[in-house]
Amino acid sequence: MLQLPDSLCMKKLASVEDAYQLCRQIMAKYAKTFYLATLLMSEEKRRAIWAIYAWCRRTDELVDGPAAAMTTPETLELWEQQLESVFAGHPVDDMDVALVDTIQQFPDLDIQPFRDMIAGQRMDLYRSRYETFEQLNLYCYRVAGTVGLMSTAIMGIETAKTTAAWQQNQTPHDPTPEAIALGIAKQLTNILRDVGEDARRGRIYLPLEDLKRFDYSEEELFQGVVNDRWRELMRFQIERTRQIYAQAETGVSYLSSDARLPVWAALMHYSQILSVIERNDYDVFRQRAYVTQMRKLRTLPIAWLRSQVL
Ligand SMILES: CC(C)=CCC/C(C)=C/CC/C(C)=C/CC/C(C)=C/[C@@H]1[C@@H](COP(=O)(O)OP(=O)(O)O)[C@]1(C)CC/C=C(\C)CC/C=C(\C)CCC=C(C)C
Ligand SMILES: Nc1ncnc2c1ncn2[C@@H]1O[C@H](COP(=O)(O)OP(=O)(O)OP(=O)(O)O)[C@@H](O)[C@H]1O
Ligand SMILES: [Mn+2]
């Protein structure tokens, strides 16, 4: 039988360097603030975050991007097989090459959070309502808490701080729950910001049990009614989300020192979106709550102080 040369059978993949550059471009395009924050980290960590960001973004695009209408459960099945292949050391496309390298450099990086994120995207295919906060919380863990786990494996934990002299034989504090909390708080914030946009796609992420509790109906939500019942409902959601940010805050000082400023900055920027929603009198239907670049810049010195003293 005719033997084809390798070059004709298989497309040659990008070099490791080029693959990281592709991931960097994705992150710089979609998450400017995050991207700038990564510049404060060491070269290896920064490149690893780019690779993970690119994978997360691609996963999200499957159900949220322009081609999402074509995505079926089989698409996600194939994407998961590609993930298994990457963790086995076999990249399938150019961007995978960077992730394979990252996995080799950071042995703490576990495949499970990646699988869990795909499971979260699967929920988006099947569900457009959440009955309880517990169900919503599971969704938030899967699509965003997982990002906290992946990032912590890269940023690393500061062993010097976690083991004082008199604690030598104790295991250092592991800020995994706080990292998950930050992802969940961020996702809940996005949900509150995007209520209107999601409603236009027929989706309600707010727990239906909360709608009932505040006597606010799905019909009102689809009509974008802002009344006192809505404001109360939103106050309740914002308060709950702030409590989760507060849990996350207690974990930042256990991260390695070059990661604390980026994480404080990210945490403060996200949580400010909640204050913008309040300032907009809880109207998330007709205006989008966003934090201006100016305001993000102004919080940097405070984030820096916290990263130094907390
Ligand atoms: C260093 C650092 C702060 C970085 C993490 C960067 C990273 C790998 C991000 C991946 C984000 C991503 C594309 C996820 C896919 C699923 C998804 C879309 C989730 C939602 C993100 C959307 O954010 P964005 O502002 O871009 O929204 P828009 O698309 O503009 O509408 C999420 C809401 C998830 C974001 C979750 C995190 C960034 C987790 C943060 C937690 C940590 C960094 C752990 C910190 C550790 C401790 C101990 C507190
Ligand atoms: N000044 C603005 N005017 C109008 N829409 C904006 C403005 N700033 C941001 N947005 C919209 O809100 C989205 C989310 O903004 P966000 O604050 O998350 O910025 P970003 O560029 O995604 O960076 P990051 O999420 O890392 O802060 C943007 O992608 C954009 O669509
Ligand atoms: Mn963004």
Side-chain angles (χ1 to χ4, degrees):
M1 202 174 78
L2 180 68
Q3 282 281 309
L4 289 172
D6 263 5
S7 57
L8 286 181
C9 299
M10 268 191 294
K11 188 176 153 285
K12 196 169 179 305
L13 294 180
S15 68
V16 173
E17 190 48 46
D18 288 351
Y20 275 117
Q21 288 310 315
L22 286 172
C23 297
R24 182 182 66 76
Q25 283 161 11
I26 298 239
M27 187 156 188
K29 176 167 176 218
Y30 289 100
K32 281 175 228 70
T33 321
F34 270 159
Y35 170 70
L36 291 175
T38 62
L39 301 182
L40 300 165
M41 299 178 185
S42 70
E43 178 72 20
E44 297 81 59
K45 290 186 189 179
R46 150 189 339 161
R47 297 190 337 157
I49 297 279
W50 298 342
I52 291 174
Y53 183 88
W55 185 87
C56 291
R57 175 55 58 191
R58 292 207 286 164
T59 306
D60 186 56
E61 292 279 309
L62 289 176
V63 292
D64 237 3
M70 320 248 290
T71 298
T72 63
E74 289 71 35
T75 319
L76 292 180
E77 196 50 53
L78 281 173
W79 185 238
E80 190 158 347
Q81 283 169 22
Q82 183 165 340
L83 170 73
E84 300 285 339
S85 167
V86 165
F87 268 81
H90 307 297
V92 175
D93 62 31
D94 285 349
M95 273 188 256
D96 287 350
V97 173
L99 192 51
V100 167
D101 183 71
T102 292
I103 293 161
Q104 282 165 2
Q105 307 281 331
F106 295 87
D108 282 351
L109 200 57
D110 188 48
I111 189 173
Q112 196 53 42
F114 291 82
R115 291 192 188 119
D116 290 346
M117 184 180 285
I118 297 175
Q121 306 301 346
R122 222 170 256 133
M123 286 170 90
D124 261 339
L125 279 189
Y126 292 114
R127 303 182 72 130
S128 58
R129 299 287 189 282
Y130 294 84
E131 280 300 326
T132 63
F133 179 68
E134 199 185 335
Q135 291 171 6
L136 179 65
N137 201 47
L138 175 63
Y139 169 75
C140 292
Y141 159 72
R142 287 179 169 165
V143 298
T146 50
V147 180
L149 291 177
M150 299 169 194
S151 320
T152 306
I154 303 301
M155 296 184 295
I157 295 166
E158 179 73 70
T159 40
K161 169 161 175 118
T162 48
T163 46
W166 45 275
Q167 287 182 316
Q168 282 301 301
N169 295 324
Q170 290 182 10
T171 31
H173 176 74
D174 172 6
T176 295
E178 293 89 344
I180 294 176
L182 183 52
I184 292 178
K186 162 75 171 144
Q187 185 64 27
L188 289 170
T189 305
N190 268 26
I191 286 172
L192 297 179
R193 182 193 68 189
D194 296 341
V195 168
E197 196 183 308
D198 290 330
R200 283 185 281 280
R201 296 188 298 159
R203 310 187 76 90
I204 301 178
Y205 288 96
L206 297 181
L208 298 182
E209 65 180 7
D210 295 339
L211 263 66
K212 287 194 196 84
R213 181 166 160 200
F214 290 93
D215 193 26
Y216 186 85
S217 69
E218 288 192 23
E219 293 70 36
E220 287 174 301
L221 191 145
F222 285 126
Q223 286 160 18
V225 175
V226 176
N227 55 21
D228 283 343
R229 284 175 282 116
W230 173 252
R231 292 188 187 94
E232 278 306 312
L233 169 60
M234 285 297 278
R235 276 188 203 111
F236 175 77
Q237 306 295 326
I238 289 175
E239 175 54 27
R240 177 161 60 197
T241 308
R242 285 203 172 117
Q243 282 174 17
I244 305 175
Y245 278 117
Q247 284 168 27
E249 287 187 359
T250 63
V252 187
S253 65
Y254 297 99
L255 293 172
S256 80
S257 58
D258 61 346
R260 285 178 220 152
L261 173 56
V263 171
W264 269 119
L267 190 153
M268 293 175 71
H269 293 156
Y270 306 153
S271 56
Q272 279 169 358
I273 297 176
L274 298 176
S275 310
V276 178
I277 295 176
E278 290 171 332
R279 221 169 314 131
N280 291 346
D281 193 26
Y282 308 98
D283 186 354
V284 284
F285 301 104
R286 279 158 283 269
Q287 45 191 331
R288 185 183 173 99
Y290 66 88
V291 177
T292 60
Q293 292 300 327
M294 193 49 164
R295 191 143 179 231
K296 286 183 186 173
L297 267 176
R298 279 211 302 263
T299 51
L300 269 186
I302 307 169
W304 180 82
L305 258 180
R306 292 186 175 179
S307 71
Q308 300 297 304
V309 301
L310 291 182

